[in-house]
Amino acid sequence: MLEPVYELENVTFYYKKGRYKANDGISLTIYKGEIIGILGPNGAGKTTLIKQMIGQLAPAEGSVKFQGQEVSRNTKDVIQQIAYYSQETFALSFLKTWEAIYFTGRLKGLSKKEAKQQTEGILLRLGMETYRNKLVSKLSGGQRRLISLGTTLIGQASVIILDEPTNELDPLKRKLVWEIIRELNHRGTTIILVTHNILEAEKVVHRVAVIDNGRLLAIDHVEKLKRKVDQRMRLEIYAQEASIQKVQDSLEVFGKMELVEDAKLSMLIEKNTIRTVIDLIQDETLNISQYSLLPPSLEDVYSMLQEQQRSE
């Protein structure tokens, strides 16, 4: 039987003296040992929701429970059992990198020996051991983010909340962070992942909660969400720059087309229109150099849910 870690019921939070609803009646349950992604654009209400889950904010309506405890009434107990990686400015920038991780471990209750051992292991895993004696304030933005992640990892909390953990990281470091997330989960850690990087998150999450305009649009396993757009395929087209507008005009009747790169167009099309669309894009006057048909992704599900919300 699945064991609930977090239970949110009708969570509502207001800003600007009640004039703006940052969270609007959100209900969801997070289970022990899962990786759940909380996805949505900037300003969707994701971080506000997380701050209520760690006791920094209290819901105006509804309830947030951690292992059966009301978070707003038991904040001290809750924060001792979780680790939170924030987007906010790193507070320990006056320390050396090893000190920032080590003293965070000591504050979490680790012995000197255990804090030292974990610090060394974390620096090595993050590829930051050569910067151990450098002040955090002298690191690059991406390096500071890694040290901040290190302070989250030390103490080996059973529940870890990561708010946009790959921001400011280069592709290799992003890959490293996703590997670490998988490793933690394999050891039984519950991971709550807040991100707008849908394509990368899709590779690691078990379930997804999609939030926009403060509302929960959907929550389910990734494959089940994908089935909601199963009657569509993603068409990707590479065309010469001078032909892009002509291609868009020719195919607009089949759906919304987006320019995703300089010469790359992308759109979702219904499966029953594929033959007609292929006939059209093979017209030599469109100057299409390459095209491909792909199954729908989690990003396609997200786009569909947003479209549905806008049409309500």
Side-chain angles (χ1 to χ4, degrees):
M1 184 176 178
L2 296 174
E3 181 181 336
V5 174
Y6 270 104
E7 295 169 281
L8 283 66
E9 185 174 350
N10 195 35
V11 174
T12 301
F13 188 87
Y14 299 92
Y15 279 124
K16 299 181 180 178
K17 298 180 180 179
R19 296 194 303 273
Y20 174 69
K21 195 178 283 189
N23 292 145
D24 186 359
I26 293 177
S27 296
L28 61 89
T29 302
I30 297 170
Y31 298 100
K32 183 177 181 180
E34 74 170 330
I35 304 177
I36 184 167
I38 299 179
L39 307 184
N42 292 331
K46 305 185 301 293
T47 299
T48 299
L49 186 67
I50 291 300
K51 287 184 175 181
Q52 292 167 88
M53 293 170 66
I54 63 173
Q56 288 187 4
L57 297 173
E61 300 169 19
S63 65
V64 179
K65 292 181 180 179
F66 176 81
Q67 295 182 346
Q69 293 182 303
E70 190 81 43
V71 172
S72 60
R73 297 174 187 169
N74 301 277
T75 302
K76 187 175 180 180
D77 289 341
V78 171
I79 61 175
Q80 288 176 345
Q81 300 177 67
I82 64 174
Y84 173 48
Y85 173 93
S86 171
Q87 292 190 67
E88 295 170 0
T89 305
F90 192 49
L92 302 178
S93 58
F94 60 91
L95 295 175
K96 294 178 181 178
T97 57
W98 76 266
E99 291 175 328
I101 298 172
Y102 172 83
F103 286 118
T104 299
R106 294 287 285 142
L107 288 169
K108 290 180 178 181
L110 297 183
S111 67
K112 290 182 180 180
K113 180 180 179 181
E114 184 61 26
K116 187 174 186 298
Q117 287 178 344
Q118 287 194 30
T119 297
E120 296 303 323
I122 288 168
L123 286 171
L124 186 65
R125 187 67 185 93
L126 294 174
M128 292 294 292
E129 67 275 14
T130 57
Y131 300 94
R132 57 177 294 108
N133 290 312
K134 194 168 185 177
L135 290 174
V136 174
S137 60
K138 301 298 182 182
L139 297 174
S140 68
Q143 290 169 337
R144 283 196 298 273
R145 300 288 285 179
L146 287 177
I147 296 304
S148 180
L149 178 61
T151 64
T152 306
L153 298 179
I154 195 165
Q156 299 175 345
S158 62
V159 178
I160 295 180
I161 302 173
L162 302 171
D163 193 350
E164 302 287 3
T166 58
N167 273 8
E168 298 184 55
L169 299 183
D170 63 41
L172 285 177
K173 293 302 184 186
R174 288 204 304 272
K175 183 174 181 286
L176 171 64
V177 169
W178 295 123
E179 288 174 356
I180 290 171
I181 289 171
R182 288 191 191 96
E183 291 169 7
L184 290 167
N185 184 248
H186 287 160
R187 295 201 294 263
T189 307
T190 303
I191 309 284
I192 300 165
L193 176 65
V194 183
T195 185
H196 65 271
N197 194 330
I198 302 171
L199 292 176
E200 291 185 355
E202 181 177 356
K203 299 172 185 176
V204 300
V205 298
H206 303 138
R207 287 196 305 148
V208 172
V210 181
I211 294 176
D212 197 12
N213 291 324
R215 296 170 58 199
L216 180 66
L217 303 187
I219 180 168
D220 213 329
H221 294 278
V222 173
E223 291 307 315
K224 287 184 179 179
L225 285 174
K226 283 184 181 180
R227 287 190 207 118
K228 294 187 175 184
V229 288
D230 198 37
Q231 294 308 307
R232 301 183 191 182
M233 295 287 285
R234 175 155 293 284
L235 172 66
E236 294 185 348
I237 294 172
Y238 292 85
Q240 294 181 15
E241 188 174 351
S243 301
I244 286 175
Q245 188 60 54
K246 187 176 180 181
V247 172
Q248 289 176 314
D249 292 343
S250 299
L251 299 178
E252 65 180 356
V253 67
F254 298 100
K256 181 183 178 183
M257 177 170 281
E258 296 178 339
L259 182 65
V260 292
E261 293 175 11
D262 287 345
K264 180 181 175 183
L265 295 158
S266 180
M267 69 184 297
L268 281 174
I269 60 172
E270 299 292 335
K271 286 183 178 179
N272 59 11
T273 66
I274 289 175
R275 186 178 296 276
T276 303
V277 172
I278 297 303
D279 287 343
L280 275 171
I281 63 180
Q282 289 177 339
D283 182 345
E284 292 182 1
T285 65
L286 293 180
N287 293 314
I288 291 173
S289 58
Q290 182 182 337
Y291 70 87
S292 56
L293 283 166
L294 305 167
S297 67
L298 185 56
E299 187 170 24
D300 295 324
V301 175
Y302 176 60
S303 298
M304 181 196 72
L305 291 170
Q306 283 189 309
E307 287 176 16
Q308 288 177 349
Q309 186 191 40
R310 282 194 291 267
S311 65
E312 289 178 358

